[in-house]
Amino acid sequence: MSSSVSAFRAANNHPNFPQMEDEVLKFWDEADVYHESLRRREGAPSFVFYEGPPTANGMPHPGHCLTRSIKDVFPRYKTMRGFRCVRKAGWDTHGLPVEVEVGKELGIHSKEEIEAFGVESFIQHCERSVWRYMQAWRTLTRRLGFWVDLDDAYVTYHQSYIESVWWSLKQLYDRGLLYQGHKIVWWWAQGGTALSAGEVGEGYREVADPSVYVRFPLIDRPNRSLVVWTTTPWTLPSNQFAAVHPELQYSVVADQETGEELIVATALVDTLAHKIKRPLETLETIDGTRLIGLRYQPPFDTYAARAGEIGTLADGTAQHRYFRVVAADFVTIDSGTGIVHMAPAFGEADHEVLLQERQRFIDQHTLELFCAVGPDGKFTHEVPDHAGVWVKDADKPLIRQLKESQRLLHQEQYVHSYPFCWRADQDPLIQYPRRSWFVRTTEYRDAMLANNAQIGWQPEHIRDGRFGNFLASNVDWALSRERYWGTPLPIWICQETGKGEAVASYAELLAKPGVSGTEAWEQAKAAMPELVDDLRVHKPYIDEVTYDSPFAPGARMRRVSEVIDCWYDSGAMPFAQFGWPHQNDAQFKDQFPADFISEALDQTRGWFYSQLAISTMLFSEQARAQQAEEHGVQVDGPHPFRNCIVLGLMLGEDGQKMSKSKRNYREPTEIFEKYGADALRWFFFSGQPPWTAIRYREQSIRESIPEFLLRLWNVFSFFTIYAEIDGFDPTAGATPDEQLHRSGFQGATGYRPVALRSEIDRWILSELNRTIEIVTQRMDALDNYNAAAAITSLVDALSNWYVRRSRDRFWAGEKESADKLDAFWTLYEVLLDVTKLIAPFTPFLAETLWQHLREPFANHSTDGNQPLASVHLCDYPEADPALIDTALSDSMRLLREIASLGRAARAEANLKVRQPLAKVEVVLANDSEIKWLESHDALVRDELNVKEVAYTTQGDQYVQYKIVPNFKRLGPRVGKNMPAVKAALADADGGKLLSEMQSVGKIVLPVADQSLELTAEDIDIRLTAREGWAAAQGRQCVVVLATELTDELIREGIAKDLIRTIQNLRKEIGCQYTDRIRIGIQTDSDQVKQAVIENQTLIAGETLATEILDAAVSGGGQAQGEDAVITIAAEPS
RNA sequence: GGGCGUGUAGCUCAGUUGGUUAGAGCGCGUCGCUGAUAACGACGAGGUCCCAGAUUCGAGUUCUGGCACGCCCA
C-alpha cells in the first residue's frame, strides 16, 4: 500500500472507443486469443454452433452485423461458462445470383448466350466471382469482434462438400425419395428458359387481355352448362377440369332468350346478367359440394378422345379421370363466375389440383398432364388448327371457334398486371410445365413436424406459426435447376433403358466399369494449372464422365444435365461441412446436432427448412428404418439444431426497408469508425428482443455510448484516478488465482471480509451477485435482451448510487482507513466481475478494462499466479448466494426513494441542494424499515444536505392515510364484493383504521350484510401529503422538509457556494486533483466574511487550500460570486 | 386471397401467472450537482395502451370481430 509507484494509472476520462478497439484487435491477433480460448476448453463438453453460410459475392450490410453479433455473443458466453465451442465459418457459393453477377460482368444473359460463351469458361468465372467481396467480409467480421474460424471455413463448391451432398442424394434416390415430375415455372418461351421469382417480379405490367365466359355443357344435361371464366383462352384446349369452391353457393339460372340453363356462383348472377345484357331467372340454388363430380364437355376436342377414361379410386369406386368438376379452395367470387377453368399445365395452382386429384386414384400415374403447347410457346400438332402458332396469337382464332361452336357466352377486355420478360419486354411469360427432379419431402411431413415440435424457437410462435404451418402444408421439394453453377445432380441414366442410379462420390464414379470422359477435366487442368481441383466435380467436366450401363449390355450411363437448388447445399451443412460420411466421422458426431443457430426470419423457408428437411430425411427414426446401411448417427430430440433465434428484419433510419439507392442507412464501417463495434453490438443486444424488427439508426447506436459504455468507463476511470492518488495496490499480500477471483485477495493488505464492510459495500456486492444470477439464467435461455437489461441496471446502480454515495470515502484524508480500503476493494471486485460479465456482449471494452485491472498483478510478482492474458480466457462469474441480501436490496431501494423524494420536495420549495436544511421528516406507512433507515441516516443527511433525519409512522399532521384493498389477495376471497370493500375502506377514516390495525392487529369492516375481517396483508396504505408542507410523496412514504432557515444555515450555504466557485477555478487553471492552492476572498459583506470564518476548515479541506486570505492572491484565476471576488493560485509543488 | 407477426409517451421500445397510480431510455422544458464533469441527478409536460364487443369483482394483459402496418405465400 505504501509503494511509491502506483499500481494503477489514472485512465483517460475521454476514451476513444474505436481506437481502443483497434488496439484490442491487434492484441487478439497477436496472442491468437480465439484459438487459445478453444485450447483451454479442450476436452470440455461441446456447445455446438452452426454458421449459416452467407454468400461472399455481395457486400456485407448492417443486417449481417446483427446476425453476426448474435452468433458471437452466445458462443463467447458458453465458452466462458466452460464449454468448447468451435465456430467454423462457411460460405454459400452456388446458385443463380452468382450466375447473374457473372453474366452482368460478361455482358451475357440468356442460357444460349452462356452456352455460346462456353460453359467451361463461365463456371470458371463463377468460381472466381464467389470470392469477390471476401476481403470486405473478413474485415467486417474481424472488426465486429465476431470470433469465427475463417481459415477453416466450409465452402459449398468444394469437392468434399459436394461429395457429402451427393452421398445424401444417393440415400434419397435409393430410398425412392428422388423422382422426376413436372414443375410449373414462369417460362420465357422465346429464350427457352425459366425465370426466377425475383426476375418475374421485375417484369409485371398492366395489360388488356381477352376475357371470355365459356359454356361447359353437362354431359348428363346438355341444356345445362357451367359458365367458366378465363383470361387465357389459349389454355382452353388443354383444359382438364373445372373447379368450384365447395363452400360457395351456386345458382342454376335460366336464360330467357335461349332457354338454356347456366350454373354460376350465386353472388355473381347479377354481374353476369348485366354483362350479357339480359335477365337471368334463378331456378335453384345449390352448394358447391353438390357440383363436384359433374362431368362436362370440354371446350375443344383436343383431348376429347380421353373423355371416356375411367380410373379406380382408393376406396374402390370408379371415376372418370378428366372433364369433371373438382373442389379448390382458391376459387373466389372476386371476378369471373365462381367456376374456374383448370389447365394444370399452365398454372401452378391448377397443377396442385391435378396432384391432389392424382392422390385419389389407385394408379396415380394414369392421370396425365395435358399440354398442347411446346416449349417454344407454340401449339403442337395436337391442336391441328393452330399448330405452330404462338399461343398469344391464337387467342383470337380460338375465341372465334368458341363462338362458332356456340360455347362462347360473353367476351370482353380485361386489364390486369401480367409478367413480361425483364430482358425482352415485348415477350409475355407463360406458365409452363418443365420436367424436374423432386424430393418426396411429403413422405416425411409428419416426421418433420415431430422434429420441429422439439426445437426451441425464439420467438416461440415460429414453431407452430410460420414454420409449423409451412411444414404442415409441405409439398415435394423441386430440387433440380436447369442451370450451370451448382452442385451437379449425381444421377446417371442408362441411355437405352432410361434406368438410373445415383453416385455418392467422385471415387465411386471413377470405379465404375468402363468409365471414360475424365480427360475433359485433365486437359483443362493441364492447360490451366491454376484451376482449382474442386471444379472437376462441376459442369461441364462431370457431364463428360460416362460408364457402362449395368442395365443393358453395351449401353452407356450418362449424367442428367441439371444442377440442384443451392438451398439443398446449405441445408446439408451439418454433415457436408466435414465432408462426412466420406471423412471426419468423429468430428461430425461431436458436432451434431447444433445447440444453437440464428438467422433472420427470411430463412424460415430457406436454411431453417432445408436443414430440417434433409436431417429428418436422413437421420430421423423413420429414415433409419428405411436405410439399408446404418450410418451410425443416433439422435433423439430435435435435429439438426436444438435452438434457433429467429432475427427480425432490419429497417433503415426511416423505418423503411434498407435500400442502397435511398441511402437510408449508415455503412457499418462508418459506424465502426465513429462509435466502435461495442456500441453497435450493445445496441443490438440491449435495444430490443432480437426477433423484433430493428430500426438501424445511427442515433440509437450512438446512444449506447453515454448510456452504457461511457458510464461504465467513468466508473472505471473514477476508480483508477483515486487508486493512483492513494496508491491503492491490490497485490500486496494477495495470493491471486489466474482469474483474479476474490478468494485470492483474502490475505491482501487492507482486505476485509465482506461482512465487516459498510452496508453500501455489501449492497453493491449483493446487487452484483443478483445480477450475475439473472444474467446467467437469461443467457442460458438464449435471452440476450433481458440479460443486457440486468447489466444495464447494475451499471446504473454502480454509477448513480454506489460511486455517487461513496465518493467522499475515496477522497477521505486518511489514506489507509479501513473504510477507504473497503471502498477500493469493493469497487475493484465489482469492476472485475462486471468486466467478465460484459465480455460476451462488448468484448472490446471488457478486454480493455481487464488489461487495466490485471495490470498490478501482471507487473508485480506475487505469491499467486499471473492473471490470464485476456478476459475471454476467463470463466464467467458465478453468483455467490452468501453475498445476496434481498432484504438489503429492498431497504436500499426505499432509501433511494427517500433521497429522490427529498430532492423533489426541495425542488418544489425552491431550495437548492447546496443550501443546508435543519431537518427532514420521513413518514412511513409502517415501522418495519425504520430501524434500518435510522442506522443509515448519514447517507440521507449527506445526499439531501440536512442536519437531521427523523423517521415516523405517526405523521397525521403531515399526511392523510388512505387504505386500499390488496386486490390480489382479497380478489379470490371477496369476489363480487370487491367494489364494496374498496368503497368502505375509502369512506372510513384512514388514520383510525390504521391505529386499529396497529393495536388490534386486524380491522373489521361491514360489507354487504356481513362483517369482513382484514389483516395487515389484506390492505395497502397510501400516504398523501397534506397541503402546506414542503413534501413529496412516494408509494411507501412521504418526505417532509423543515424549510425555515437560520443565519447559520444560510452562511453554510454561502460557504458551499464559495467551494463550488473555487472548484471551478481549480479546473480552469488546470490544477491536478492533488494540487494545493491558496485562496483569496475579498468581500464587503459581513455575512460572507463570517461564513468564510465559520467554515474555514470545510472550505480549505474541500478545495485543498493551504490558506484563505482576505486579499487577492495573484498568479492564478479569479471569479465573481456570492458578493465576493475570489482569487486562487496554485502552490508550487 | 391465405398464414404469421406487430400496433403502448414526440422517437425507440419494455410490460412476467389478469390485481386498480402503465414503465425505461432518448428528445423537450425547468431546476440542480460539480475532485467521474462533452459525464451525472431531480422534477415536469407528454398516454382514449389501434377500434368495437365479450368474459371477469377487476383487462394494456384472456376471447371474438374489425382496422392499419410489415413479412412470407398465393
Side-chain angles (χ1 to χ4, degrees):
Chain A
M1 188 76 199
S2 54
S3 60
S4 53
V5 178
S6 291
F8 289 100
R9 288 169 295 129
N12 187 349
N13 46 27
H14 298 293
N16 178 340
F17 289 115
Q19 191 191 321
M20 278 169 24
E21 293 182 357
D22 279 335
E23 283 159 24
V24 168
L25 284 171
K26 261 178 241 151
F27 166 67
W28 285 348
D29 286 347
E30 282 159 14
D32 196 16
V33 179
Y34 164 61
H35 286 107
E36 179 59 22
S37 77
L38 283 179
R39 275 192 288 278
R40 286 178 58 81
R41 298 301 185 208
E42 208 65 60
S46 280
F47 177 78
V48 179
F49 162 75
Y50 288 167
E51 159 80 332
T55 124
N57 82 323
M59 276 291 279
H61 62 79
H64 296 114
C65 291
L66 170 65
T67 49
R68 291 172 111 61
S69 297
I70 294 284
K71 286 174 181 185
D72 185 61
V73 68
F74 291 105
R76 279 185 189 269
Y77 167 75
K78 286 291 180 178
T79 301
M80 291 182 77
R81 291 271 284 157
F83 292 87
R84 181 168 173 276
C85 182
V86 288
R87 284 150 264 181
K88 189 178 172 78
W91 300 104
D92 193 11
T93 55
H94 282 148
L96 195 61
V98 180
E99 293 194 23
V100 168
E101 271 305 302
V102 170
K104 273 187 207 161
E105 194 182 304
L106 299 172
I108 57 176
H109 296 97
S110 67
K111 287 174 67 178
E112 293 92 350
E113 285 171 317
I114 293 170
E115 305 265 2
F117 175 82
V119 173
E120 181 173 3
S121 175
F122 185 75
I123 64 116
Q124 289 168 7
H125 276 86
C126 286
E127 189 272 326
R128 285 192 296 270
S129 162
V130 154
W131 303 114
R132 174 171 308 166
Y133 294 109
M134 191 57 194
Q135 197 47 49
W137 278 91
R138 274 185 174 273
T139 306
L140 175 115
T141 302
R142 174 176 180 272
R143 185 62 190 84
L144 184 66
F146 177 33
W147 275 2
V148 66
D149 205 332
L150 289 171
D151 297 326
D152 182 34
Y154 66 88
V155 177
T156 57
Y157 77 68
H158 281 180
Q159 180 174 342
S160 69
Y161 197 99
I162 285 176
E163 286 178 321
S164 285
V165 172
W166 280 4
W167 163 80
S168 69
L169 290 170
K170 184 184 166 94
Q171 288 289 309
L172 301 182
Y173 186 87
D174 290 351
R175 282 152 52 194
L177 295 171
L178 208 50
Y179 69 93
Q180 262 193 305
H182 282 104
K183 187 188 181 193
I184 309 300
V185 297
W186 279 108
W187 183 251
W188 177 35
Q190 290 77 358
T193 187
L195 269 60
S196 70
E199 293 173 299
V200 175
E202 296 288 301
Y204 273 91
R205 261 209 329 264
E206 292 279 302
V207 289
D209 271 325
S211 150
V212 292
Y213 294 74
V214 185
R215 297 181 182 91
F216 283 18
L218 296 181
I219 298 280
D220 297 335
R221 251 179 119 158
N223 190 38
R224 185 176 277 193
S225 299
L226 304 163
V227 182
V228 167
W229 179 73
T230 180
T231 56
T232 48
W234 61 266
T235 62
L236 284 168
S238 306
N239 173 274
Q240 294 190 250
F241 308 105
V244 297
H245 196 299
E247 281 155 30
L248 278 179
Q249 284 276 313
Y250 291 83
S251 292
V252 181
V253 296
D255 181 340
Q256 309 293 34
E257 205 170 293
T258 60
E260 66 179 332
E261 295 172 7
L262 303 172
I263 302 175
V264 63
T266 307
L268 293 164
V269 170
D270 290 344
T271 319
L272 185 63
H274 184 253
K275 280 185 197 297
I276 63 175
K277 298 193 177 71
R278 45 187 197 263
L280 294 169
E281 186 198 346
T282 301
L283 300 178
E284 59 176 310
T285 309
I286 45 180
D287 291 338
T289 42
R290 291 197 38 224
L291 296 174
I292 293 163
L294 291 179
R295 294 178 58 222
Y296 60 83
Q297 297 170 29
F300 292 95
D301 54 9
T302 327
Y303 298 99
R306 319 290 298 270
E309 287 184 16
I310 294 175
T312 310
L313 298 182
D315 64 6
T317 56
Q319 175 150 66
H320 282 86
R321 289 193 180 123
Y322 311 107
F323 311 126
R324 55 188 161 78
V325 178
V326 298
D329 288 339
F330 58 79
V331 175
T332 69
I333 50 169
D334 293 346
S335 53
T337 61
I339 306 175
V340 177
H341 143 70
M342 298 270 99
F346 309 118
E348 210 176 332
D350 303 32
H351 191 251
E352 283 297 315
V353 168
L354 174 70
L355 296 183
Q356 269 170 35
E357 284 297 313
R358 274 185 187 160
Q359 299 284 321
R360 302 173 59 226
F361 285 85
I362 285 177
D363 187 357
Q364 303 189 1
H365 301 288
T366 58
L367 208 56
E368 281 179 32
L369 179 67
F370 294 169
C371 181
V373 177
D376 56 0
K378 295 172 180 168
F379 278 108
T380 62
H381 63 274
E382 288 173 300
V383 187
D385 296 346
H386 309 288
V389 178
W390 161 236
V391 290
K392 287 279 178 182
D393 292 338
D395 276 344
K396 269 186 189 164
L398 284 167
I399 293 170
R400 196 176 312 125
Q401 278 183 308
L402 287 171
K403 216 178 278 172
E404 285 161 7
S405 63
Q406 308 289 314
R407 292 298 183 80
L408 188 71
L409 181 64
H410 181 67
Q411 175 194 355
E412 62 190 17
Q413 288 290 99
Y414 183 78
V415 179
H416 61 154
S417 69
Y418 193 88
F420 287 71
C421 180
W422 60 282
R423 290 198 300 102
D425 58 11
Q426 290 315 302
D427 293 348
L429 302 176
I430 59 174
Q431 292 203 2
Y432 193 79
R434 295 293 292 171
R435 294 292 283 177
S436 186
W437 289 86
F438 288 83
V439 183
R440 208 181 299 282
T441 51
T442 46
E443 194 165 302
Y444 277 78
R445 194 192 60 180
D446 292 342
M448 289 194 284
L449 281 167
N451 194 355
N452 170 50
Q454 297 179 73
I455 292 171
W457 288 100
Q458 288 227 58
E460 263 182 56
H461 60 73
I462 297 285
R463 175 176 48 237
D464 298 319
R466 191 179 281 238
F467 196 62
N469 287 338
F470 175 64
L471 290 180
S473 55
N474 184 259
V475 294
D476 286 346
W477 185 347
L479 182 72
S480 57
R481 297 286 181 272
E482 296 177 82
R483 301 297 313 187
Y484 307 96
W485 178 239
T487 297
L489 187 61
I491 295 172
W492 271 256
I493 301 284
C494 171
Q495 297 303 103
E496 213 162 296
T497 63
K499 290 180 181 172
E501 63 179 16
V503 169
S505 71
Y506 197 64
E508 182 183 327
L509 182 63
L510 296 187
K512 294 285 183 189
V515 69
S516 74
T518 51
E519 64 282 358
W521 163 252
E522 281 149 16
Q523 284 161 11
K525 178 77 180 176
M528 285 179 72
E530 70 274 20
L531 282 185
V532 295
D533 289 336
D534 300 296
L535 289 184
R536 70 158 69 93
V537 291
H538 280 84
K539 280 171 91 71
Y541 310 111
I542 196 71
D543 294 343
E544 298 300 317
V545 182
T546 61
Y547 59 88
D548 290 341
S549 171
F551 305 110
R556 294 290 287 173
M557 297 293 279
R558 178 168 283 282
R559 196 187 75 83
V560 300
S561 68
E562 292 97 333
V563 297
I564 66 167
D565 181 1
C566 57
W567 284 116
Y568 191 98
D569 286 351
S570 56
M573 70 69 66
F575 50 92
Q577 65 173 334
F578 301 117
W580 189 85
H582 305 305
Q583 51 185 309
N584 294 321
D585 189 55
Q587 218 172 345
F588 168 65
K589 282 171 182 161
D590 177 62
Q591 295 285 306
F592 183 88
D595 290 298
F596 164 66
I597 66 168
S598 178
E599 302 290 338
L601 186 62
D602 55 6
Q603 297 296 334
T604 321
R605 285 144 205 272
W607 193 51
F608 298 153
Y609 172 67
S610 63
Q611 273 190 99
L612 183 93
I614 293 170
S615 195
T616 306
M617 287 186 295
L618 292 177
F619 304 124
S620 66
E621 208 171 305
Q622 185 183 345
R624 290 200 300 271
Q626 279 193 347
Q627 263 156 349
E629 43 177 320
E630 177 59 55
H631 284 278
V633 192
Q634 195 80 25
V635 272
D636 300 314
H639 58 94
F641 51 90
R642 295 194 168 108
N643 296 286
C644 178
I645 299 181
V646 183
L647 303 174
L649 242 94
M650 188 167 286
L651 307 171
E653 300 270 343
D654 52 1
Q656 305 290 107
K657 248 186 184 166
M658 285 195 297
S659 129
K660 276 221 167 90
S661 55
K662 275 197 270 175
R663 307 179 127 266
N664 62 347
Y665 66 92
R666 302 277 89 81
E667 286 299 331
T669 46
E670 189 185 334
I671 298 294
F672 293 144
E673 277 163 28
K674 280 161 97 167
Y675 312 109
D678 277 343
L680 182 60
R681 292 171 62 115
W682 188 253
F683 161 70
F684 287 144
F685 298 143
S686 71
Q688 57 280 305
W691 51 84
T692 55
I694 292 176
R695 244 168 97 164
Y696 177 82
R697 298 167 74 213
E698 180 177 9
Q699 190 195 326
S700 310
I701 297 161
R702 182 174 50 223
E703 282 163 4
S704 306
I705 294 175
E707 275 171 22
F708 180 70
L709 301 175
L710 189 54
R711 191 179 290 181
L712 178 56
W713 182 267
N714 278 334
V715 172
F716 163 73
S717 156
F718 174 89
F719 169 78
T720 56
I721 287 169
Y722 291 100
E724 181 181 60
I725 289 171
D726 285 332
F728 171 67
D729 183 359
T731 61
T735 49
D737 63 11
E738 58 180 9
Q739 314 253 355
L740 295 184
H741 187 264
R742 72 167 65 84
S743 58
F745 302 148
Q746 298 295 343
T749 314
Y751 185 91
R752 297 204 298 171
V754 173
L756 296 181
R757 300 185 203 173
S758 73
E759 200 103 47
I760 197 163
D761 292 337
R762 285 189 279 124
W763 171 75
I764 193 64
L765 287 167
S766 171
E767 294 299 300
L768 169 71
N769 282 279
R770 251 164 33 96
T771 305
I772 292 172
E773 206 171 63
I774 296 169
V775 170
T776 308
Q777 189 237 332
R778 291 330 304 157
M779 287 299 279
D780 284 342
L782 301 177
D783 174 5
N784 56 277
Y785 174 72
N786 284 298
I791 293 175
T792 302
S793 94
L794 175 68
V795 170
D796 176 70
L798 184 63
S799 170
N800 290 329
W801 195 246
Y802 181 76
V803 170
R804 177 183 164 83
R805 286 318 327 145
S806 299
R807 278 199 285 211
D808 52 1
R809 301 167 68 199
F810 287 93
W811 65 70
E814 282 177 68
K815 277 196 170 184
E816 310 208 353
S817 80
D819 182 59
K820 182 182 219 174
L821 287 168
D822 283 348
F824 271 119
W825 276 111
T826 304
L827 188 49
Y828 184 56
E829 287 174 341
V830 172
L831 281 170
L832 279 170
D833 271 352
V834 169
T835 297
K836 294 174 185 173
L837 211 51
I838 65 169
F841 299 86
T842 52
F844 297 96
L845 176 60
E847 189 69 282
T848 306
L849 293 178
W850 175 255
Q851 295 307 328
H852 282 99
L853 293 172
R854 73 186 278 278
E855 203 176 353
F857 290 98
N859 290 341
H860 293 67
S861 58
T862 58
D863 298 339
N865 303 310
Q866 277 281 303
L868 290 165
S870 164
V871 70
H872 303 289
L873 304 177
C874 292
D875 295 340
Y876 212 61
E878 294 208 27
D880 181 351
L883 293 180
I884 295 178
D885 184 342
T886 39
L888 180 57
S889 280
D890 293 343
S891 302
M892 193 63 87
R893 195 174 301 119
L894 178 59
L895 196 68
R896 288 181 77 173
E897 191 187 351
I898 289 168
S900 142
L901 289 171
R903 282 188 297 260
R906 269 181 174 278
E908 187 82 6
N910 223 350
L911 288 163
K912 55 186 176 183
V913 180
R914 264 198 310 275
Q915 175 60 59
L917 295 177
K919 183 176 181 181
V920 298
E921 286 200 70
V922 181
V923 184
L924 295 154
N926 63 65
D927 59 6
S928 59
E929 299 280 6
I930 287 188
K931 226 177 155 157
W932 186 87
L933 288 170
E934 277 172 346
S935 67
H936 293 80
D937 67 344
L939 217 152
V940 175
R941 286 204 312 265
D942 191 62
E943 179 72 17
L944 293 181
N945 194 16
V946 296
K947 300 298 173 196
E948 187 190 344
V949 188
Y951 296 95
T952 179
T953 54
Q954 307 296 317
D956 285 357
Q957 56 176 124
Y958 308 120
V959 301
Q960 282 175 320
Y961 293 94
K962 189 182 164 201
I963 314 290
V964 292
N966 179 339
F967 288 95
K968 201 162 188 172
R969 261 180 79 91
L970 287 179
R973 203 168 118 204
V974 305
K976 274 196 174 86
N977 290 326
M978 236 17 238
V981 174
K982 185 182 178 184
L985 286 171
D987 291 345
D989 181 332
K992 232 181 228 169
L993 285 182
L994 203 58
S995 45
E996 190 184 333
M997 178 68 80
Q998 273 160 5
S999 54
V1000 192
K1002 64 181 183 189
I1003 53 177
V1004 178
L1005 206 65
V1007 173
D1009 302 335
Q1010 44 181 320
S1011 54
L1012 186 65
E1013 210 172 85
L1014 299 178
T1015 62
E1017 284 89 57
D1018 295 330
I1019 56 166
D1020 278 336
I1021 302 152
R1022 301 273 162 76
L1023 305 180
T1024 322
R1026 287 185 193 275
E1027 292 292 312
W1029 297 96
Q1033 65 190 56
R1035 256 190 186 284
Q1036 313 174 71
C1037 64
V1038 169
V1039 174
V1040 187
L1041 298 179
T1043 54
E1044 60 279 0
L1045 294 173
T1046 63
D1047 288 346
E1048 201 184 344
L1049 290 171
I1050 291 170
R1051 287 196 296 272
E1052 194 180 332
I1054 291 172
K1056 296 224 169 182
D1057 278 332
L1058 286 169
I1059 291 171
R1060 182 202 170 187
T1061 309
I1062 295 163
Q1063 300 289 30
N1064 280 344
L1065 279 175
R1066 282 183 62 104
K1067 238 179 308 173
E1068 269 175 37
I1069 67 171
C1071 281
Q1072 296 298 302
Y1073 292 122
T1074 50
D1075 287 349
R1076 301 266 153 182
I1077 58 167
R1078 292 160 63 228
I1079 302 174
I1081 299 173
Q1082 293 163 285
T1083 178
D1084 295 332
S1085 158
D1086 292 339
Q1087 201 185 24
V1088 174
K1089 279 180 188 161
Q1090 204 182 336
V1092 173
I1093 293 165
E1094 277 176 12
N1095 297 286
Q1096 192 149 15
T1097 326
L1098 176 72
I1099 298 172
E1102 290 286 312
T1103 61
L1104 297 186
T1106 50
E1107 59 180 335
I1108 303 177
L1109 307 172
D1110 55 2
V1113 297
S1114 57
Q1118 178 181 337
Q1120 302 271 339
E1122 333 311 328
D1123 293 325
V1125 176
I1126 299 141
T1127 47
I1128 73 164
E1131 290 273 30
S1133 46

